[in-house]
Amino acid sequence: MQTVLIVIHLMIVVALVGVLVALSNTMVARQREFAVLRALGARRRSVLALVVGESAAISLLGGILGLGIAGLGAWVAAARVRAETGVTVSATPGVDDLLFLLAVTAVGALAGLVPAYRAYRTEAARALTSSL
């Protein structure tokens, strides 16, 4: 059981690094978009909150999708596991699953702080003139 938990934690870390890399790559492509927002009067904090919120949303959706696929797999395998071992497998989400979603969302938001800080530092005038 301990090995399974270690593998699960490693998978979560790899997924969060993927979110961090994806957001970092899109920050470069969206630098002009952030500059326009800043030029139109958006505060730096608003841009920061936008990117962190996007990161949290991506993590939450990934967690929901992962739990859904795991639940479907448990539901499909439940009959065979019960027939072969006598153990009943439940595919019903519990409190642990909700806590998992909360934790994944929070850690995803933390992973979004690095790209959000890049967006936060975007100078509107320089970013708009450099893309002309």
Side-chain angles (χ1 to χ4, degrees):
M1 184 64 176
Q2 191 71 3
T3 305
V4 172
L5 288 175
I6 291 171
V7 170
I8 289 171
H9 287 104
L10 287 174
M11 289 172 57
I12 291 170
V13 169
V14 168
L16 292 173
V17 168
V19 169
L20 175 67
V21 169
L23 284 173
S24 292
N25 288 337
T26 61
M27 290 306 110
V28 174
R30 294 171 61 192
Q31 194 168 19
R32 181 172 169 84
E33 175 186 330
F34 297 129
V36 170
L37 285 173
R38 295 273 300 124
L40 291 174
R43 295 184 185 153
R44 288 181 187 265
R45 285 188 311 209
S46 299
V47 174
L48 183 88
L50 179 76
V51 176
V52 170
E54 181 179 325
S55 175
I58 289 169
S59 299
L60 176 64
L61 290 174
I64 290 170
L65 182 63
L67 284 176
I69 291 171
L72 181 64
W75 179 73
V76 168
R80 184 166 183 165
V81 169
R82 189 169 4 113
E84 290 185 17
T85 64
V87 175
T88 302
V89 177
S90 174
T92 306
V95 175
D96 289 345
D97 296 326
L98 296 176
L99 291 174
F100 168 78
L101 282 178
L102 181 64
V104 165
T105 303
V107 174
L110 288 174
L113 284 176
V114 172
Y117 183 69
R118 275 193 201 154
Y120 176 86
R121 291 187 339 204
T122 298
E123 294 292 332
R126 188 177 325 150
L128 289 173
T129 56
S130 67
S131 62
L132 292 176

